Amino acid sequence: MLNIDSILGAIRSVLPPPPAVLHEPEFAGNEWAYVKECLDTGWVSSVGKFVDRFERMLVDITGVSSAVATCNGTSALHICLELAGVREGDEVLVPALTFVATANAIAYCGAVPHFVDSSESTLGVDPVSLLEHLQAIAEVREGVCWNRRTRRRVPALVAVHVLGHPVDLDPLAELCREWGIVLIEDA
């Protein structure tokens, strides 16, 4: 008679080994003391002195006027899309090679991910291919990009730095200016 352990064992024997870990946390300094302080004080999420400190440090390092930390990258992308004016029915340009969170954030806005070619050298959006694609399917009306085929507004491009490979932002920024598209950087 088969039991669950023997069934799972049989399944595991034919499956490939699990993938290597993408990232393991490293605790080499004060991390443990900081985590313990958060737990001891009850400030474990979204607010507290460490979040305030992190936001101030981001302002200091980047020179921007303010910074807001979010609980994860998906919520940060969602906020950026909302601030860019993405609304239900819009299309948002994203690289064909990305993490599902990019498309999820777009879907949270009721918009549609519009996948575009990725560059072999950067793994991010290919500026040359994107320009050719926009020339074939899009037009700018009253300063806003529209897809002529779907009749949807294309208000934003999410440029993703895939696995730490920096996307070529300068030509994408210029292209976005010319086509009335807001550039959102997912780093």
Side-chain angles (χ1 to χ4, degrees), residues 98-182:
T98 189
F99 184 65
V100 70
T102 313
N104 284 345
I106 294 165
Y108 296 154
C109 295
V112 178
H114 180 129
F115 294 98
V116 296
D117 287 343
S118 294
S119 163
E120 288 184 34
S121 61
T122 68
L123 305 180
V125 173
D126 184 321
V128 173
S129 293
L130 179 58
L131 176 59
E132 291 170 359
H133 181 63
L134 288 173
Q135 289 171 336
I137 64 107
E139 66 185 1
V140 178
R141 285 187 271 151
E142 298 179 16
V144 178
C145 184
W146 289 83
N147 185 328
R148 288 190 310 268
R149 295 179 182 167
T150 63
R151 296 191 173 108
R152 290 188 176 126
R153 201 169 69 107
V154 184
L157 162 67
V158 180
V160 181
H161 300 285
V162 178
L163 298 173
H165 295 275
V167 68
D168 193 1
L169 280 176
D170 291 338
L172 290 176
E174 179 61 30
L175 190 149
C176 286
R177 275 190 293 279
E178 291 173 12
W179 286 85
I181 298 171
V182 175

Side-chain angles (χ1 to χ4, degrees), residues 19-147:
V21 175
L22 181 61
H23 173 73
E24 286 188 34
E26 180 181 320
F27 297 103
N30 290 320
E31 295 90 348
W32 183 252
Y34 295 158
V35 169
K36 185 171 179 345
E37 182 178 337
C38 290
L39 293 171
D40 289 344
T41 61
W43 293 102
V44 296
S45 175
S46 65
V47 294
K49 85 176 196 181
F50 291 113
V51 173
D52 294 341
R53 178 178 168 194
F54 177 67
E55 290 172 344
R56 281 192 309 275
M57 290 171 72
L58 279 175
V59 167
D60 292 343
I61 290 169
T62 62
V64 296
S65 61
S66 62
V68 177
T70 61
C71 64
N72 58 48
T74 307
S75 61
L77 284 172
H78 185 198
I79 291 168
C80 289
L81 291 162
E82 293 282 340
L83 290 171
V86 173
R87 57 185 187 237
E88 189 172 341
D90 285 345
E91 291 180 14
V92 176
L93 303 167
V94 294
L97 178 61
T98 189
F99 184 65
V100 70
T102 313
N104 284 345
I106 294 165
Y108 296 154
C109 295
V112 178
H114 180 129
F115 294 98
V116 296
D117 287 343
S118 294
S119 163
E120 288 184 34
S121 61
T122 68
L123 305 180
V125 173
D126 184 321
V128 173
S129 293
L130 179 58
L131 176 59
E132 291 170 359
H133 181 63
L134 288 173
Q135 289 171 336
I137 64 107
E139 66 185 1
V140 178
R141 285 187 271 151
E142 298 179 16
V144 178
C145 184
W146 289 83
N147 185 328

